[in-house]
Amino acid sequence: MKKLLIMAASLLVLANTANAKNKDVIRAGVDAPYPPFEYKAPDGSLTGFEIELGNEVCKEITGKDCEWVVQAWDGLIPGLLARKYDMIFSSMSINDERKKRVLFSNSYYTTPSAYFSATNFDPTASKGKRIGVQRATIQDTYITEFLTDAEVVRYTTADDMALDLESGRLDAMFVDAPVGMGIIKEGSKIVQVGELVKEPVRIFGNGVGAAFRKRDAKLEAQVSAALETIKKNGKYDEIMKRYFDFDIKI
């Protein structure tokens, strides 16, 4: 019995030590790959605009990088609510539907969505066309509502969607404009087609923000303040220019 008590006490000390070490680490949920926002480098580490920006935010608050947790897009909010991570930092647009479930930080970027195609695809003549979207995104919502005569093909990742577009199994894909631009390689037949899309606001929202459980208002305030600091000290622009050759706005 004495040995068991000593063992239990030792385990408790180890657990408390681990918690002490980790209590200041912010766990961030992210859907990867989604270049240029988040993707894996050749060595397997996560990189991208949001990974670098998120790490700067976490360092402003805790002095440490974020602890990144990879999660498929359609499971990001359920994972947050199940406490798998402390925030979502993964190109999540701020809109009224999501505000019912989560709390958002201030916006940290705003970009339009765009169609990309290897053919002369016309969004105004979409009857019978196969259009790829990432499942449960604002692009999915938009196409489902407004292009009712098209066949919507839903994907878990943007990479799989791009492969089908390249191979001719899709007529077009509808994604965040920077994501589509990042997919276009030199010599590729894929080009942006049609007008950029950023309305209605009820679907596309008012920019992208970090998402939190509603009870975590203190963490949201810290993240919003850190984003403002990073914007003012020039680090935001430094990171942005490494990934984009145009202003994605903040």
Side-chain angles (χ1 to χ4, degrees), residues 215-237:
R215 61 186 148 188
D216 290 338
K218 180 180 178 181
L219 180 58
E220 179 277 315
Q222 290 175 318
V223 169
S224 290
L227 285 166
E228 187 64 22
T229 297
I230 292 165
K231 178 184 176 183
K232 288 179 178 178
N233 66 20
K235 289 182 180 178
Y236 180 91
D237 286 340

PDB file of all heavy atoms in Angstrom, residues 215-237:
ATOM      1  N   ARG A 215     -16.901  31.176 -24.085  1.00  0.00           N
ATOM      2  CA  ARG A 215     -16.500  31.497 -22.716  1.00  0.00           C
ATOM      3  C   ARG A 215     -15.051  31.989 -22.627  1.00  0.00           C
ATOM      4  O   ARG A 215     -14.613  32.460 -21.574  1.00  0.00           O
ATOM      5  CB  ARG A 215     -16.664  30.275 -21.816  1.00  0.00           C
ATOM      6  CG  ARG A 215     -15.835  29.083 -22.226  1.00  0.00           C
ATOM      7  CD  ARG A 215     -16.160  27.867 -21.385  1.00  0.00           C
ATOM      8  NE  ARG A 215     -15.999  26.649 -22.154  1.00  0.00           N
ATOM      9  CZ  ARG A 215     -16.366  25.454 -21.726  1.00  0.00           C
ATOM     10  NH1 ARG A 215     -16.946  25.326 -20.557  1.00  0.00           N
ATOM     11  NH2 ARG A 215     -16.198  24.389 -22.466  1.00  0.00           N
ATOM     12  N   ASP A 216     -14.307  31.893 -23.740  1.00  0.00           N
ATOM     13  CA  ASP A 216     -12.888  32.250 -23.727  1.00  0.00           C
ATOM     14  C   ASP A 216     -12.665  33.675 -24.235  1.00  0.00           C
ATOM     15  O   ASP A 216     -11.796  33.940 -25.074  1.00  0.00           O
ATOM     16  CB  ASP A 216     -12.086  31.250 -24.561  1.00  0.00           C
ATOM     17  CG  ASP A 216     -12.019  29.880 -23.908  1.00  0.00           C
ATOM     18  OD1 ASP A 216     -12.210  29.808 -22.679  1.00  0.00           O
ATOM     19  OD2 ASP A 216     -11.766  28.885 -24.620  1.00  0.00           O
ATOM     20  N   ALA A 217     -13.449  34.600 -23.708  1.00  0.00           N
ATOM     21  CA  ALA A 217     -13.361  36.003 -24.138  1.00  0.00           C
ATOM     22  C   ALA A 217     -12.006  36.620 -23.795  1.00  0.00           C
ATOM     23  O   ALA A 217     -11.502  37.482 -24.525  1.00  0.00           O
ATOM     24  CB  ALA A 217     -14.487  36.813 -23.491  1.00  0.00           C
ATOM     25  N   LYS A 218     -11.391  36.186 -22.705  1.00  0.00           N
ATOM     26  CA  LYS A 218     -10.083  36.727 -22.320  1.00  0.00           C
ATOM     27  C   LYS A 218      -9.035  36.382 -23.374  1.00  0.00           C
ATOM     28  O   LYS A 218      -8.234  37.239 -23.778  1.00  0.00           O
ATOM     29  CB  LYS A 218      -9.660  36.176 -20.955  1.00  0.00           C
ATOM     30  CG  LYS A 218      -8.308  36.688 -20.499  1.00  0.00           C
ATOM     31  CD  LYS A 218      -7.932  36.124 -19.133  1.00  0.00           C
ATOM     32  CE  LYS A 218      -6.540  36.617 -18.710  1.00  0.00           C
ATOM     33  NZ  LYS A 218      -6.152  36.061 -17.376  1.00  0.00           N
ATOM     34  N   LEU A 219      -9.027  35.129 -23.832  1.00  0.00           N
ATOM     35  CA  LEU A 219      -8.067  34.718 -24.852  1.00  0.00           C
ATOM     36  C   LEU A 219      -8.331  35.454 -26.161  1.00  0.00           C
ATOM     37  O   LEU A 219      -7.390  35.887 -26.840  1.00  0.00           O
ATOM     38  CB  LEU A 219      -8.125  33.206 -25.068  1.00  0.00           C
ATOM     39  CG  LEU A 219      -7.168  32.641 -26.120  1.00  0.00           C
ATOM     40  CD1 LEU A 219      -5.716  32.977 -25.782  1.00  0.00           C
ATOM     41  CD2 LEU A 219      -7.340  31.121 -26.248  1.00  0.00           C
ATOM     42  N   GLU A 220      -9.597  35.630 -26.509  1.00  0.00           N
ATOM     43  CA  GLU A 220      -9.935  36.371 -27.737  1.00  0.00           C
ATOM     44  C   GLU A 220      -9.385  37.788 -27.667  1.00  0.00           C
ATOM     45  O   GLU A 220      -8.806  38.296 -28.644  1.00  0.00           O
ATOM     46  CB  GLU A 220     -11.454  36.397 -27.926  1.00  0.00           C
ATOM     47  CG  GLU A 220     -11.912  37.172 -29.162  1.00  0.00           C
ATOM     48  CD  GLU A 220     -12.010  38.676 -28.920  1.00  0.00           C
ATOM     49  OE1 GLU A 220     -12.545  39.082 -27.878  1.00  0.00           O
ATOM     50  OE2 GLU A 220     -11.527  39.444 -29.789  1.00  0.00           O
ATOM     51  N   ALA A 221      -9.539  38.433 -26.521  1.00  0.00           N
ATOM     52  CA  ALA A 221      -9.053  39.799 -26.358  1.00  0.00           C
ATOM     53  C   ALA A 221      -7.530  39.847 -26.483  1.00  0.00           C
ATOM     54  O   ALA A 221      -6.970  40.789 -27.078  1.00  0.00           O
ATOM     55  CB  ALA A 221      -9.493  40.366 -25.015  1.00  0.00           C
ATOM     56  N   GLN A 222      -6.854  38.850 -25.941  1.00  0.00           N
ATOM     57  CA  GLN A 222      -5.395  38.793 -26.035  1.00  0.00           C
ATOM     58  C   GLN A 222      -4.941  38.616 -27.486  1.00  0.00           C
ATOM     59  O   GLN A 222      -3.986  39.257 -27.930  1.00  0.00           O
ATOM     60  CB  GLN A 222      -4.856  37.644 -25.180  1.00  0.00           C
ATOM     61  CG  GLN A 222      -4.974  37.877 -23.681  1.00  0.00           C
ATOM     62  CD  GLN A 222      -4.532  36.660 -22.886  1.00  0.00           C
ATOM     63  OE1 GLN A 222      -4.850  35.515 -23.229  1.00  0.00           O
ATOM     64  NE2 GLN A 222      -3.782  36.898 -21.829  1.00  0.00           N
ATOM     65  N   VAL A 223      -5.630  37.748 -28.217  1.00  0.00           N
ATOM     66  CA  VAL A 223      -5.271  37.501 -29.612  1.00  0.00           C
ATOM     67  C   VAL A 223      -5.530  38.741 -30.457  1.00  0.00           C
ATOM     68  O   VAL A 223      -4.704  39.130 -31.287  1.00  0.00           O
ATOM     69  CB  VAL A 223      -6.034  36.273 -30.157  1.00  0.00           C
ATOM     70  CG1 VAL A 223      -5.893  36.168 -31.679  1.00  0.00           C
ATOM     71  CG2 VAL A 223      -5.525  34.996 -29.497  1.00  0.00           C
ATOM     72  N   SER A 224      -6.680  39.389 -30.257  1.00  0.00           N
ATOM     73  CA  SER A 224      -6.988  40.610 -31.012  1.00  0.00           C
ATOM     74  C   SER A 224      -5.960  41.698 -30.730  1.00  0.00           C
ATOM     75  O   SER A 224      -5.524  42.410 -31.642  1.00  0.00           O
ATOM     76  CB  SER A 224      -8.399  41.099 -30.673  1.00  0.00           C
ATOM     77  OG  SER A 224      -9.378  40.221 -31.209  1.00  0.00           O
ATOM     78  N   ALA A 225      -5.538  41.823 -29.473  1.00  0.00           N
ATOM     79  CA  ALA A 225      -4.529  42.818 -29.114  1.00  0.00           C
ATOM     80  C   ALA A 225      -3.182  42.470 -29.745  1.00  0.00           C
ATOM     81  O   ALA A 225      -2.461  43.362 -30.230  1.00  0.00           O
ATOM     82  CB  ALA A 225      -4.391  42.906 -27.591  1.00  0.00           C
ATOM     83  N   ALA A 226      -2.835  41.188 -29.758  1.00  0.00           N
ATOM     84  CA  ALA A 226      -1.574  40.757 -30.362  1.00  0.00           C
ATOM     85  C   ALA A 226      -1.568  41.025 -31.862  1.00  0.00           C
ATOM     86  O   ALA A 226      -0.551  41.460 -32.423  1.00  0.00           O
ATOM     87  CB  ALA A 226      -1.340  39.270 -30.080  1.00  0.00           C
ATOM     88  N   LEU A 227      -2.688  40.782 -32.521  1.00  0.00           N
ATOM     89  CA  LEU A 227      -2.787  41.068 -33.956  1.00  0.00           C
ATOM     90  C   LEU A 227      -2.579  42.559 -34.226  1.00  0.00           C
ATOM     91  O   LEU A 227      -1.911  42.939 -35.190  1.00  0.00           O
ATOM     92  CB  LEU A 227      -4.155  40.630 -34.486  1.00  0.00           C
ATOM     93  CG  LEU A 227      -4.344  39.122 -34.666  1.00  0.00           C
ATOM     94  CD1 LEU A 227      -5.829  38.790 -34.869  1.00  0.00           C
ATOM     95  CD2 LEU A 227      -3.533  38.598 -35.862  1.00  0.00           C
ATOM     96  N   GLU A 228      -3.128  43.402 -33.378  1.00  0.00           N
ATOM     97  CA  GLU A 228      -2.962  44.850 -33.544  1.00  0.00           C
ATOM     98  C   GLU A 228      -1.496  45.245 -33.363  1.00  0.00           C
ATOM     99  O   GLU A 228      -0.962  46.063 -34.115  1.00  0.00           O
ATOM    100  CB  GLU A 228      -3.844  45.592 -32.532  1.00  0.00           C
ATOM    101  CG  GLU A 228      -3.881  47.097 -32.717  1.00  0.00           C
ATOM    102  CD  GLU A 228      -4.499  47.527 -34.041  1.00  0.00           C
ATOM    103  OE1 GLU A 228      -5.263  46.741 -34.639  1.00  0.00           O
ATOM    104  OE2 GLU A 228      -4.194  48.660 -34.477  1.00  0.00           O
ATOM    105  N   THR A 229      -0.830  44.631 -32.382  1.00  0.00           N
ATOM    106  CA  THR A 229       0.591  44.906 -32.154  1.00  0.00           C
ATOM    107  C   THR A 229       1.429  44.507 -33.355  1.00  0.00           C
ATOM    108  O   THR A 229       2.311  45.251 -33.807  1.00  0.00           O
ATOM    109  CB  THR A 229       1.084  44.149 -30.906  1.00  0.00           C
ATOM    110  OG1 THR A 229       0.383  44.629 -29.755  1.00  0.00           O
ATOM    111  CG2 THR A 229       2.583  44.340 -30.703  1.00  0.00           C
ATOM    112  N   ILE A 230       1.148  43.324 -33.898  1.00  0.00           N
ATOM    113  CA  ILE A 230       1.899  42.805 -35.042  1.00  0.00           C
ATOM    114  C   ILE A 230       1.665  43.664 -36.280  1.00  0.00           C
ATOM    115  O   ILE A 230       2.572  43.859 -37.100  1.00  0.00           O
ATOM    116  CB  ILE A 230       1.516  41.334 -35.294  1.00  0.00           C
ATOM    117  CG1 ILE A 230       2.022  40.472 -34.149  1.00  0.00           C
ATOM    118  CG2 ILE A 230       2.059  40.817 -36.626  1.00  0.00           C
ATOM    119  CD1 ILE A 230       1.403  39.089 -34.099  1.00  0.00           C
ATOM    120  N   LYS A 231       0.461  44.180 -36.408  1.00  0.00           N
ATOM    121  CA  LYS A 231       0.176  45.091 -37.519  1.00  0.00           C
ATOM    122  C   LYS A 231       0.989  46.377 -37.379  1.00  0.00           C
ATOM    123  O   LYS A 231       1.587  46.866 -38.357  1.00  0.00           O
ATOM    124  CB  LYS A 231      -1.318  45.413 -37.543  1.00  0.00           C
ATOM    125  CG  LYS A 231      -1.724  46.401 -38.638  1.00  0.00           C
ATOM    126  CD  LYS A 231      -3.197  46.742 -38.530  1.00  0.00           C
ATOM    127  CE  LYS A 231      -3.608  47.798 -39.553  1.00  0.00           C
ATOM    128  NZ  LYS A 231      -5.035  48.179 -39.411  1.00  0.00           N
ATOM    129  N   LYS A 232       1.076  46.931 -36.167  1.00  0.00           N
ATOM    130  CA  LYS A 232       1.750  48.206 -35.948  1.00  0.00           C
ATOM    131  C   LYS A 232       3.267  48.088 -36.018  1.00  0.00           C
ATOM    132  O   LYS A 232       3.953  49.023 -36.459  1.00  0.00           O
ATOM    133  CB  LYS A 232       1.339  48.780 -34.594  1.00  0.00           C
ATOM    134  CG  LYS A 232      -0.094  49.301 -34.559  1.00  0.00           C
ATOM    135  CD  LYS A 232      -0.468  49.839 -33.188  1.00  0.00           C
ATOM    136  CE  LYS A 232      -1.889  50.397 -33.181  1.00  0.00           C
ATOM    137  NZ  LYS A 232      -2.277  50.873 -31.823  1.00  0.00           N
ATOM    138  N   ASN A 233       3.832  46.942 -35.576  1.00  0.00           N
ATOM    139  CA  ASN A 233       5.297  46.838 -35.549  1.00  0.00           C
ATOM    140  C   ASN A 233       5.905  46.351 -36.867  1.00  0.00           C
ATOM    141  O   ASN A 233       7.120  46.171 -36.980  1.00  0.00           O
ATOM    142  CB  ASN A 233       5.770  45.956 -34.384  1.00  0.00           C
ATOM    143  CG  ASN A 233       5.350  44.490 -34.525  1.00  0.00           C
ATOM    144  OD1 ASN A 233       5.023  44.002 -35.594  1.00  0.00           O
ATOM    145  ND2 ASN A 233       5.373  43.784 -33.402  1.00  0.00           N
ATOM    146  N   GLY A 234       5.051  46.110 -37.876  1.00  0.00           N
ATOM    147  CA  GLY A 234       5.549  45.753 -39.199  1.00  0.00           C
ATOM    148  C   GLY A 234       5.705  44.270 -39.465  1.00  0.00           C
ATOM    149  O   GLY A 234       5.977  43.865 -40.607  1.00  0.00           O
ATOM    150  N   LYS A 235       5.531  43.424 -38.445  1.00  0.00           N
ATOM    151  CA  LYS A 235       5.721  41.982 -38.652  1.00  0.00           C
ATOM    152  C   LYS A 235       4.651  41.394 -39.570  1.00  0.00           C
ATOM    153  O   LYS A 235       4.918  40.455 -40.325  1.00  0.00           O
ATOM    154  CB  LYS A 235       5.721  41.258 -37.300  1.00  0.00           C
ATOM    155  CG  LYS A 235       6.972  41.526 -36.482  1.00  0.00           C
ATOM    156  CD  LYS A 235       6.968  40.753 -35.164  1.00  0.00           C
ATOM    157  CE  LYS A 235       8.230  41.025 -34.366  1.00  0.00           C
ATOM    158  NZ  LYS A 235       8.214  40.306 -33.066  1.00  0.00           N
ATOM    159  N   TYR A 236       3.442  41.943 -39.483  1.00  0.00           N
ATOM    160  CA  TYR A 236       2.371  41.450 -40.358  1.00  0.00           C
ATOM    161  C   TYR A 236       2.761  41.630 -41.820  1.00  0.00           C
ATOM    162  O   TYR A 236       2.646  40.703 -42.628  1.00  0.00           O
ATOM    163  CB  TYR A 236       1.061  42.182 -40.065  1.00  0.00           C
ATOM    164  CG  TYR A 236      -0.096  41.727 -40.936  1.00  0.00           C
ATOM    165  CD1 TYR A 236      -0.933  40.707 -40.514  1.00  0.00           C
ATOM    166  CD2 TYR A 236      -0.327  42.306 -42.184  1.00  0.00           C
ATOM    167  CE1 TYR A 236      -1.979  40.269 -41.316  1.00  0.00           C
ATOM    168  CE2 TYR A 236      -1.362  41.882 -42.993  1.00  0.00           C
ATOM    169  CZ  TYR A 236      -2.190  40.862 -42.552  1.00  0.00           C
ATOM    170  OH  TYR A 236      -3.219  40.424 -43.366  1.00  0.00           O
ATOM    171  N   ASP A 237       3.215  42.824 -42.168  1.00  0.00           N
ATOM    172  CA  ASP A 237       3.600  43.095 -43.559  1.00  0.00           C
ATOM    173  C   ASP A 237       4.768  42.218 -43.993  1.00  0.00           C
ATOM    174  O   ASP A 237       4.817  41.751 -45.134  1.00  0.00           O
ATOM    175  CB  ASP A 237       3.963  44.566 -43.733  1.00  0.00           C
ATOM    176  CG  ASP A 237       2.738  45.474 -43.723  1.00  0.00           C
ATOM    177  OD1 ASP A 237       1.629  44.959 -43.967  1.00  0.00           O
ATOM    178  OD2 ASP A 237       2.890  46.673 -43.456  1.00  0.00           O
TER     179      ASP A 237
END
